[in-house]
Structures are given as C-alpha cells and as structure tokens.
C-alpha cells in the first residue's frame, strides 16, 4: 500500500526510571528516535513521514530481562514498520511473529525466563491511524469529532473492575482500580501461554487537528485523568511535565509518555532534542 509523506507533527516524549525501581525497563520510540535508560527526553517538530511510528513498551516489572524485552519489541516493530500500513490481518500476523520471536529468545536463555513487555503504539499515515495495545499501557486521543477518550483496552484481571475483593487490589492515585497484573503481554512467564490477542484499532486520520497520548501505567496509576486532558490541550506539548507529576506522586514505577499533535499549533515550536 502506497502512503504519502504528511505532517508536521509537534512531539514531546519522555521516559524515566522513577523513584523506586532499580532500573528503567521501558523503551519508547518516535520515528527513528529511541528513548531508554535512566532518563531520556525529546521535544521536536517532525516535518512528516510516509508512516510515523509512536511506541511505548513497558518491560514487565519484577521479571528478569524486562528492559531487554521492551527494547526487542520496539526494534522488531521498527523493522516491520512498513507492514503497519497494511490491513488488520497483516498487522496481527506481524505482532504474532514478534511475540513468537521474543518467546524463542526466552527459551534459548534461561536467565531471561519470564521476560515480557506491554505495548501501546500508533502508526500514523496520511489517511489512517493504526492504534495497537497489549497489556495495560494506554493510548488516548482527542479531536473535534470524538473529544477526549481512551482508545486502548486494558488487559487486566476482570476482578479489577468488580470491586476490591483482594487486598492486592485498590484504587490507584488516579481513582481507578489497580490490578498489579496484566492478562496478556508479549513474552511473559505463563507456562501455558494463550495466543496473543492484540487490540488493533484502525480509523481514518481526523481531518481536523488531533492530539494523542501514549503512556505506560507508571503515569496513569499516579496522575489524574484531568491532567492528561490538560496536557493534550496545552498549546505546547510537555511530556516531561507529566513525568514530573508522576514523580511528585511517588514515582513508584518507570514512567513513559509520548505526546503528539497534528494540525493546528503543530508549527508553534522549534525542534529541540
């Protein structure tokens, strides 16, 4: 499928180890830029590309090799980026192949048993938004037609939404149920893993201006939804500000954020890295 360059895009991205974890197991990507490690930030205006990837991969905390899994996932997605302009079946096939490749790495290296990663990603072309998630990393979109909404689906235990029967469950800082676990991820530790069932949402690119937020649960567990709305409506996108808000609320997990805007206001900022 042929796609034409488009843009510009105002982008702000950040990832941070947080205040509790020993290391940052997240990896993020905007176009060809990768962010990982103790702290990484990007603020720029991109002129446009035929297909622009936006990726947040959250390595499973508490498992060996979470940082390896998240980076592997991001690199594999970027290698196959052309496939994400294709139909949903081709996208699902590519994701299944990446999952199988990650599991194969686990089987070859006993020291990496259990490594895995969640995913929140968007692949933006001239006429289509392809949004993908696995696990509890999230994608939010705001535009004139639909307003502000979460377009990803949380893969968390059903009991997380049925009250708080377990002491391990409760409301997070942002007022939503906290589950401490996900029902699916790339890789992972289950000896009888079911086939990956990624959530793939394709829609025509909004004709009017739109903004998007991709993030790990290290943000949404600690920052109120109103702050996310405000971040997307601000004249200048500032991912580092959202990271600081999560740090001020305890920084209990790695924190990763990508903010992107297309349309009105996208030319307002000079590129900085």
């Amino acid at each position: 499928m042929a796609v034409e360059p488009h843009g510009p895009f105002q982008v702000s991205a950040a990832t941070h180890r947080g205040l509790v974890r020993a290391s940052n197991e997240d990896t993020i990507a905007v176009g060809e830029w990768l962010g990982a490690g103790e702290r990484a930030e990007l603020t720029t205006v991109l002129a446009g590309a035929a297909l622009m990837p936006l990726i947040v991969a959250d390595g499973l905390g508490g498992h060996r090799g979470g940082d390896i899994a998240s980076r592997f996932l991001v690199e594999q997605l970027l290698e196959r980026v052309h496939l994400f302009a294709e139909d949903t079946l081709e996208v699902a096939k590519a994701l299944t192949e990446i999952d199988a490749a990650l599991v194969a790495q686990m089987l070859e290296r006993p020291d990496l048993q259990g490594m895995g990663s969640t995913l929140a990603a968007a692949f933006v072309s001239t006429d289509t938004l392809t949004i993908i998630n696995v696990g509890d990393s999230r994608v939010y979109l705001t535009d004139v037609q639909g307003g502000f909404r979460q377009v990803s689906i949380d893969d968390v235990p059903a009991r997380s939404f049925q009250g708080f029967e377990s002491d391990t469950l409760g409301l997070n800082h942002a007022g939503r149920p906290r589950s401490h676990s996900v029902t699916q991820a790339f890789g992972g530790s289950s000896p009888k893993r079911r086939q990956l069932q990624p959530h793939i949402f394709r829609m025509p690119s909004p004709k009017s201006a739109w903004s998007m937020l991709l993030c790990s649960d290290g943000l949404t567990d600690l920052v109120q939804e109103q702050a996310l709305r405000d971040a997307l409506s601000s004249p200048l996108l500032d991912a580092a500000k959202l990271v600081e808000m999560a740090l001020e609320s305890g920084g209990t997990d790695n924190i990763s954020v990508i903010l992107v805007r297309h349309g009105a206001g996208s030319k307002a900022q000079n590129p900085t890295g």
Side-chain angles (χ1 to χ4, degrees), residues 141-273:
L141 179 67
T142 183
D143 61 12
V144 172
Q145 288 77 23
F148 174 88
R149 70 270 195 196
Q150 179 181 337
V151 292
S152 56
I153 298 174
D154 293 339
D155 291 316
V156 298
R159 66 183 186 278
S160 301
F161 303 100
Q162 299 173 355
F164 312 111
E165 301 94 330
S166 167
D167 291 337
T168 63
L169 299 175
L171 287 178
N172 60 24
H173 177 83
R176 292 184 293 273
R178 183 198 304 274
S179 70
H180 299 296
S181 62
V182 294
T183 55
Q184 68 167 341
F186 288 84
S189 58
S190 173
K192 296 182 179 179
R193 299 177 67 253
R194 61 182 176 84
Q195 184 175 358
L196 189 75
Q197 296 182 323
H199 306 287
I200 304 170
F201 177 58
R202 292 170 64 89
M203 61 177 286
S205 296
K207 300 304 181 184
S208 58
W210 56 265
S211 300
M212 187 183 297
L213 164 65
L214 302 90
C215 59
S216 64
D217 65 332
L219 178 74
T220 52
D221 274 351
L222 296 175
V223 175
Q224 298 281 351
E225 188 172 275
Q226 185 59 50
L228 309 185
R229 292 173 178 264
D230 293 343
L232 284 174
S233 62
S234 175
L236 292 179
L237 302 179
D238 190 351
K241 181 178 179 181
L242 286 176
V243 169
E244 288 301 320
M245 294 176 69
L247 293 173
E248 290 171 0
S249 296
T252 52
D253 199 354
N254 305 149
I255 309 154
S256 291
V257 183
I258 297 174
L259 293 163
V260 61
R261 175 176 295 134
H262 181 251
S266 297
K267 299 180 180 180
Q269 186 176 350
N270 293 323
T272 61

Side-chain angles (χ1 to χ4, degrees), residues 24-100:
N24 187 0
E25 297 185 328
D26 293 0
T27 303
I28 64 176
V30 175
E32 296 180 353
W33 178 84
L34 263 67
E38 187 82 5
R39 182 169 191 163
E41 296 178 6
L42 172 74
T43 300
T44 191
V45 172
L46 299 178
L51 187 66
M52 185 175 70
L54 307 164
I55 306 170
V56 171
D58 179 357
L60 298 183
H63 294 273
R64 291 172 290 181
D67 56 336
I68 297 173
S70 67
R71 189 175 187 92
F72 177 86
L73 175 55
V74 169
E75 290 175 346
Q76 290 291 308
L77 289 167
L78 294 179
E79 285 184 10
R80 294 169 167 82
V81 68
H82 61 284
L83 295 175
F84 293 93
E86 303 298 333
D87 61 35
T88 300
L89 289 177
E90 288 298 317
V91 171
K93 180 181 177 183
L95 296 172
T96 300
E97 290 174 351
I98 294 172
D99 182 47

